[in-house]
């Protein structure tokens, strides 16, 4: 599907991704670094998934959501980084209009799911710490699957909304995207149609997809903090803070970088800065998540050791 012709009678059928760097030597360095980051991210998140599967202690709602989050992290970096590596390897920076829209579609689905899953994990911690007597019924396996299904439905709706709105814009040149993957703020700069409604839609949907979850997460942790402070056992408080601290760290990194990227639709200068934020969102966050969740978590560390070394060595 190609965009309609602009006022000058021409239509853009492909975009040129300018990438992160221009010089060939730096491109080689970027290729090695991003290939390494991709392999580490996929390997780390697959290890978390394997650990959750083999360790019975991790067959709980919190780790069910964490396993889903690991799948999303693999998907998020796979949507953007392999394509960039292929462009660096082939020295071909063009991407077709359809491929650009496809990349946008899957990226926004995965990012939306990330947001809702982090909210579900906060709700899980709230129930586990503040409502322990009814936790097993309120967070049953059925409830877990319903939360995941609703998250997918909302994320799909968000992605489709943006894609449909984007197809109403005319792209008649220039076609250079100042980024290493297709994203809405950079594409808006290239449109020869008015993007005011699209920008308003992006702001509104970003608020719904991120603002509402942030409010729910903060509210949940206010109650959690109050409940944890009432625990008399220092060991119990420490364990609760470690468990919640990992989730809070991931949430702060995710929503902080997202807010910086999408709450300011701006100039070319802003687009240059957004490249760094894009690297953080698509590469660094997914790579750090396995480390954050395994750090100071003996159950996850034990399960990871079992996956990497073997059960016999543990006994």
């Amino acid at each position: 599907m190609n965009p309609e012709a602009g006022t000058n009678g021409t239509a853009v059928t492909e975009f040129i991704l300018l990438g992160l760097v221009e010089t060939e030597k730096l491109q080689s360095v970027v290729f090695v670094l991003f290939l390494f980051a991709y392999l580490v991210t996929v390997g780390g998140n697959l290890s978390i998934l394997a650990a959750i599967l083999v360790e019975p202690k991790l067959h709980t709602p919190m780790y069910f959501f964490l396993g889903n989050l690991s799948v999303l992290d693999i998907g998020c970096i796979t949507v953007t980084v392999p394509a960039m590596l292929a462009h660096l390897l082939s020295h071909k920076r063009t991407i077709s209009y359809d491929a650009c829209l496809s990349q946008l579609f899957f990226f926004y689905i995965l990012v939306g799911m990330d947001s809702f899953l982090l909210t579900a994990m906060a709700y899980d911690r709230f129930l586990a710490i503040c409502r322990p007597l009814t936790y097993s019924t309120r967070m049953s396996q059925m409830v877990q699957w319903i939360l995941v299904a609703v998250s997918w439905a909302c994320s799909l709706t968000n992605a489709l909304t943006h894609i449909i709105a984007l197809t109403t814009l005319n792209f008649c040149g220039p076609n250079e995207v100042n980024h290493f993957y297709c994203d809405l703020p950079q594409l808006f700069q290239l449109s020869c149609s008015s993007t005011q409604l699209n920008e308003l839609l992006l702001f509104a949907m970003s608020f719904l997809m991120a603002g509402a979850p942030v409010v729910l997460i903060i509210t949940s942790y206010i109650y959690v903090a109050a409940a944890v402070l009432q625990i008399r056992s220092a060991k119990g408080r420490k364990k609760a803070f470690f468990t919640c601290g990992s989730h809070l760290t991931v949430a702060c990194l995710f929503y902080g970088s997202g807010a910086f990227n999408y709450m300011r639709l701006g100039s070319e200068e802003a687009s240059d800065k957004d490249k760094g934020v894009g690297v953080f969102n698509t590469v660094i966050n997914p790579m750090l998540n396995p480390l954050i969740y395994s750090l100071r978590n003996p159950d996850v560390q034990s399960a990871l050791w079992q996956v990497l070394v073997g059960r016999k060595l543990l006994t």
Side-chain angles (χ1 to χ4, degrees), residues 57 62-63 125 129 228 231 233-246 296-299:
K57 288 183 180 180
M62 182 180 72
Y63 292 106
R125 291 300 82 204
I129 295 174
V228 169
I231 298 176
S233 168
K235 185 178 180 181
R237 287 197 302 269
K238 185 178 180 181
K239 183 177 180 180
F241 276 125
F242 280 158
T243 303
C244 298
S246 299
R296 295 184 179 180
N297 190 322
D299 292 335

Side-chain angles (χ1 to χ4, degrees), residues 8-315:
N8 61 359
T10 63
V12 171
T13 59
E14 63 181 16
F15 296 102
I16 299 174
L17 298 174
L18 296 182
L20 294 173
V21 294
E22 295 182 2
T23 61
E24 190 170 341
K25 289 185 179 180
L26 287 178
Q27 286 179 355
S28 301
V29 174
V30 169
F31 179 86
V32 173
L33 289 177
F34 274 69
L35 177 61
F36 174 76
Y38 180 73
L39 295 176
V40 168
T41 301
V42 173
N45 282 286
L46 285 178
S47 298
I48 291 289
L49 276 174
I52 293 172
L53 290 174
V54 303
E55 177 54 64
K57 288 183 180 180
L58 303 184
H59 295 172
T60 63
M62 182 180 72
Y63 292 106
F64 169 77
F65 294 126
L66 178 58
N68 278 272
L69 192 65
S70 294
V71 173
L72 294 175
D73 285 338
I74 294 173
C76 190
I77 195 171
T78 300
V79 165
T80 55
V81 170
M84 185 193 73
L85 294 177
H87 292 156
L88 289 173
L89 199 60
S90 64
H91 301 287
K92 181 182 177 183
R93 298 185 295 177
T94 58
I95 182 172
S96 69
Y97 178 81
D98 290 339
C100 187
L101 261 61
S102 297
Q103 188 179 58
L104 263 173
F105 176 72
F106 288 110
F107 179 72
Y108 274 77
I109 285 181
L110 295 169
V111 169
M113 273 298 297
D114 256 326
S115 181
F116 287 122
L117 272 183
L118 289 173
T119 309
M121 293 172 77
Y123 177 62
D124 172 74
R125 291 300 82 204
F126 165 75
L127 291 179
I129 295 174
C130 301
R131 304 289 187 271
L133 298 179
T134 59
Y135 175 69
S136 59
T137 55
R138 292 191 179 188
M139 191 52 74
S140 63
Q141 195 171 39
M142 177 66 72
V143 172
Q144 296 169 42
W145 282 108
I146 289 175
L147 287 173
V148 171
V150 170
S151 297
W152 275 110
C154 293
S155 301
L156 179 62
T157 302
N158 175 62
L160 279 175
T161 300
H162 287 304
I163 294 301
I164 292 172
L166 187 64
T167 58
T168 65
L169 299 180
N170 294 327
F171 293 93
C172 47
N175 65 338
E176 293 184 340
V177 179
N178 193 17
H179 217 317
F180 64 94
Y181 63 92
C182 291
D183 203 358
L184 288 175
Q186 287 71 37
L187 290 178
F188 290 163
Q189 297 174 10
L190 304 181
S191 174
C192 49
S193 307
S194 173
T195 61
Q196 185 175 359
L197 290 178
N198 297 77
E199 292 179 4
L200 183 62
L201 177 64
L202 178 58
F203 184 87
M205 295 299 287
S206 297
F207 181 79
L208 289 175
M209 299 290 291
V214 165
V215 171
L216 292 174
I217 290 173
I218 292 174
T219 303
S220 296
Y221 274 109
I222 288 175
Y223 284 100
V224 167
V228 169
L229 291 175
Q230 293 178 0
I231 298 176
R232 295 183 179 181
S233 168
K235 185 178 180 181
R237 287 197 302 269
K238 185 178 180 181
K239 183 177 180 180
F241 276 125
F242 280 158
T243 303
C244 298
S246 299
H247 175 257
L248 271 177
T249 302
V250 171
C252 288
L253 292 174
F254 176 80
Y255 290 112
S257 58
F260 184 83
N261 195 28
Y262 293 108
M263 291 304 171
R264 51 181 197 90
L265 300 174
S267 60
E268 185 176 348
E269 179 183 357
S271 184
D272 290 334
K273 295 178 182 178
D274 287 341
K275 291 181 184 180
V277 181
V279 172
F280 200 89
N281 285 333
T282 62
V283 180
I284 297 179
N285 267 351
M287 186 170 59
L288 287 179
N289 286 351
L291 177 64
I292 293 172
Y293 279 109
S294 61
L295 195 66
R296 295 184 179 180
N297 190 322
D299 292 335
V300 175
Q301 290 175 359
S302 175
L304 283 173
W305 183 260
Q306 179 179 330
V307 170
L308 297 175
V309 180
R311 184 182 295 274
K312 291 182 179 180
L313 291 181
L314 292 176
T315 58

